[in-house]
Structures are given as structure tokens and as C-alpha cells.
Amino acid sequence: MRTVRIGSLTATASDVLRSYWVFASERQRVYYSRLNGRLAPWTDDPVISRYRFTNAYRAADRVSQDLIRVVYEGSQQPEDVLLRVLLFRFFNKPSTWAALEQARGVISWQDFAVEDYSRILDGMLARGERVYSAAYIVPPPPFGAVRKHRNHLLLVQHMMNSGLCGQLARARSLQAVFDAISSFPSLGPFLAYQLTIDLNYSILVDFDEDDFVAPGPGARSGITKCFPDTGGVKAEEIIRWMTDTQEEQLDYFGQEFQDLFGRRLKLIDCQNLFCETDKYARVVHPSSRGVGNRSRIKQQFVPSAKAARPFFPPKWGINGNVGKDCEPYPQSPAIPVIRH
């Protein structure tokens, strides 16, 4: 245990904090190795090689990449962009989006009809296909329909008709976007924050991702493992401290970290990394207690083909670096698994 100063307060950090940066560095190493077409295995870390984890950067993750392409491959009229973001994220499953697009052609607000879209999803379920991703729980909106997916289509319609596009255009901060989204039924802090970041990828809003963060339950559990005694520091401030001091911490723990084509980790990324560290620690630090009683990682990692060339919001100015910055890390050293 060691103490760290966060603002005017002192928090106590455990060995899991080191694992946070070990995981971030090694997961990023795997990302670049796959991107450059290296053959598996991409890591000597027995936990990362066995279990499925998201990328260190949210925007580089597969589903986020699909979403970003959905955002930019189509009409850039505000209503159409907003509709595509809502439809994609509520179901969070690329195959569901593909089914809607195949049946309807161009997805646009002018074309949107709850009955028609609901029939498409009914057909998927009748064929035994999943409509929702299992990545996280999306609560059913309270619109009275029997089936969850119809309630989400009704929520989309409600949000569009409630003038959300105008609210986004008038928003003066990322938190204002979050507040607007979280005012709608069934959209708690976690999902509202995910949608906020999704919309911030688009032309609809343009704020620095370091403006605001809303810690999810997984991140709060990871924070508890990294900082058994926060000394009264709020979760949001811990995430901000991690973001602000990332270079110093990486140097302190002796980790080599390659950023995302010149982009530092942002609040959303450090928040997500706490969630992934919570999972990682279930194996590496099994005695470390977080929030809840989860003791194992459910999803196994299945190696796939070379990762697709990534595409990021053009306003970030990093797409031009993708080709020239895709050199892989040096081969990683053997990573000991620490168990307590």
C-alpha cells in the first residue's frame, strides 16, 4: 500500500493500481500487434490472452468503431445522425443494425416508423437471432409495449419528437448533453454517459472528452480495488487524476504505453480502464474486494483475423496518423501474474 495525493486529499493505493497500468499498456500492445497483422499469441499475459477485454481506448473498440462508421457513412442532417446513434446504441449489436439497414435501405428520420422497424426485429427474434448485445444491461423503457425492443423504438420516437436535436445544438458543455439525455425515461447515468460520448463522436456536438465523466458501476468497483481508502476523494476526481497524471504514473510503474495515434487517454478511457481492471483483478488479485461479489470473468477471448483499419471522428485529426503509426510495440516481456 502507498499513499497518493489527489488534490487536497490523500488516498491509499493498492497493488491493483499497478495492474491498471500494466493492463492498459499490454492491452494497447495487443491492439497494435493485431492491427499490424502479427500472428497470435500477441501477449505473454496469461489473463489477457485467455479472457475478453475491451481496448484501452473506447473509440478503438470494435462496436465503437462500427458506431463511428454508422455516424459518418450517411446523411449528416442532424435528425438523421441522432436517429442512427440512438438506434445503434440501444441495441448495441452490429448485426441488428445490419438487419435494419438491409430491410429499410437508408436509415433516416423521414423513413422511421415504429411499426415497420418493430416487425424487422420481430422477424429476427422469430429466427432465433439476438437483437441486443450482451455487453451490458439496457433497461426496458416504460412505454407499455409487450416486447422490449418495441419499447426502445418508442423511446427513440419520443426522444426525436421531444426536440433533443435542438437541445444538443444549444448545449454548452458535455455535461449539458448528459443532462439532456438522462432526462428521458430508463436512461440512467451509465447509458446516458455512453450515449453522450457516442454523440460527441458526431457533428452534433463537439466537446473535449476531458470535460466530464460519469463513473459506471464497473468503474466504481475498479476504483475500490485500486484505492481501498479513497480518503474522501470522489470517483470522478480519481478518474480525472488518473487522466491528468497518466504519463507520470506510467513512468513510475515502468510501463511502455503507446497512445492512440497521438491521442492521450481521456476521461472516458480511464473510466473504462477501471472497469476492465476490475475484471482483470478478479484473476490477478483474487483477494481484492470491489463492489459486488463477482469473482470470475465470463467471456473467453477468441482470436480473430487481423483487425480492420480504424477510423476515428475526423475532428480529432488523427486519421492521417493511422497508416504511419501502426508499428507494433517491441515484444513484451514476460508478465508475472500477482496473486494475493
Side-chain angles (χ1 to χ4, degrees):
M1 295 283 188
R2 69 185 183 97
T3 59
V4 295
R5 195 75 173 168
I6 302 178
S8 61
L9 301 173
T10 300
T12 302
S14 71
D15 289 340
V16 184
L17 180 60
R18 177 184 183 276
S19 290
Y20 177 105
W21 293 112
V22 168
F23 170 83
S25 301
E26 195 63 15
R27 186 63 186 84
Q28 192 70 344
R29 190 191 312 275
V30 169
Y31 173 70
Y32 274 106
S33 294
R34 292 189 63 216
L35 205 55
N36 283 280
R38 286 179 58 184
L39 298 176
W42 299 294
T43 177
D44 293 323
D45 187 309
V47 181
I48 294 176
S49 63
R50 179 177 177 184
Y51 299 104
R52 186 180 181 278
F53 293 94
T54 63
N55 281 306
Y57 286 84
R58 180 189 191 265
D61 220 45
R62 181 180 60 84
V63 176
S64 291
Q65 279 289 296
D66 287 334
L67 173 94
I68 293 169
R69 287 187 167 88
V70 162
V71 164
Y72 285 97
E73 291 176 357
S75 163
Q76 294 301 288
Q77 289 297 313
E79 292 81 3
D80 294 338
V81 174
L82 177 58
L83 175 69
R84 295 201 300 273
V85 170
L86 295 177
L87 276 176
F88 188 96
R89 183 54 71 189
F90 283 150
F91 300 104
N92 203 34
K93 196 169 180 63
S95 59
T96 300
W97 173 263
L100 291 173
E101 201 169 35
Q102 182 178 12
R104 303 300 296 180
V106 176
I107 303 293
S108 68
W109 175 229
Q110 185 176 7
D111 165 80
F112 184 74
V114 170
E115 291 293 339
D116 295 339
Y117 280 61
S118 186
R119 277 195 292 270
I120 298 167
L121 301 183
D122 286 340
M124 290 183 67
L125 291 170
R127 295 189 295 272
E129 301 173 26
R130 288 181 177 270
V131 169
Y132 290 92
S133 166
Y136 48 77
I137 297 172
V138 181
F143 283 89
V146 174
R147 310 204 77 165
K148 180 178 175 180
H149 65 266
R150 182 177 174 83
N151 280 308
H152 270 117
L153 294 173
L154 289 167
L155 175 59
V156 168
Q157 179 177 263
H158 173 60
M159 294 175 78
M160 297 293 296
N161 287 333
S162 295
L164 179 57
C165 258
Q167 288 181 274
L168 297 176
R170 294 187 297 273
R172 293 295 175 262
S173 67
L174 201 59
Q175 182 165 0
V177 175
F178 171 82
D179 291 341
I181 294 169
S182 58
S183 68
F184 290 96
S186 79
L187 300 184
F190 175 79
L191 187 53
Y193 183 51
Q194 299 303 311
L195 280 167
T196 296
I197 297 299
D198 292 337
L199 290 168
N200 201 46
Y201 292 150
S202 77
I203 62 165
L204 299 180
V205 292
D206 186 12
F207 299 107
D208 193 321
E209 285 186 339
D210 283 343
D211 283 355
F212 173 74
V213 66
R220 291 182 182 277
S221 185
I223 289 171
T224 299
K225 291 180 180 180
C226 289
F227 299 94
D229 182 0
T230 63
V233 183
K234 294 180 180 179
E236 293 85 349
E237 293 307 314
I238 288 177
I239 295 170
R240 187 171 295 280
W241 178 80
M242 296 288 282
T243 307
D244 291 344
T245 64
Q246 58 189 272
E247 289 86 4
E248 295 95 318
Q249 291 193 69
L250 286 162
D251 183 64
Y252 178 87
F253 291 114
Q255 296 303 306
E256 181 181 358
F257 180 83
Q258 186 170 350
D259 60 25
L260 188 68
F261 308 107
R263 185 177 176 86
R264 297 173 78 244
L265 292 166
K266 297 286 190 171
L267 290 176
I268 179 63
D269 306 312
C270 288
Q271 193 263 177
N272 280 8
L273 281 168
F274 271 121
C275 185
E276 297 307 288
T277 300
D278 176 60
K279 294 191 295 185
Y280 185 73
R282 293 173 199 171
V283 177
V284 180
H285 305 275
S287 64
S288 180
R289 300 298 298 273
V291 179
N293 296 312
R294 295 183 178 180
S295 59
R296 62 188 183 90
I297 306 172
K298 294 181 180 179
Q299 293 183 309
Q300 302 281 317
F301 174 65
V302 179
S304 58
K306 178 183 176 181
R309 182 185 177 92
F311 173 75
F312 301 101
K315 57 190 172 183
W316 287 4
I318 64 173
N319 284 322
N321 298 335
V322 170
K324 63 184 180 182
D325 282 2
C326 282
E327 291 302 317
Y329 279 74
Q331 184 64 38
S332 61
I335 297 177
V337 175
I338 305 169
R339 292 185 174 87
H340 297 281

Coordinates of all heavy atoms in Angstrom, one line a residue, residues 176 223 253 305:
A176 N -24.0 19.2 -20.1 CA -25.3 19.6 -20.6 C -25.9 18.5 -21.5 O -27.1 18.3 -21.5 CB -25.2 20.9 -21.3
I223 N -12.2 1.2 -9.1 CA -11.6 2.2 -8.2 C -11.5 1.7 -6.8 O -10.4 2.0 -6.1 CB -12.5 3.5 -8.2 CG1 -12.4 4.2 -9.6 CG2 -12.1 4.5 -7.1 CD1 -13.4 5.3 -9.8
F253 N 5.5 3.3 -12.8 CA 5.4 1.8 -12.8 C 6.2 1.1 -13.9 O 6.1 -0.1 -14.1 CB 3.9 1.4 -12.9 CG 3.1 1.8 -11.7 CD1 2.1 2.7 -11.8 CD2 3.3 1.1 -10.5 CE1 1.3 3.0 -10.7 CE2 2.5 1.4 -9.4 CZ 1.5 2.4 -9.5
A305 N -9.3 -12.6 -37.1 CA -8.4 -12.1 -38.1 C -7.8 -10.8 -37.8 O -8.1 -10.2 -36.8 CB -9.1 -12.0 -39.4

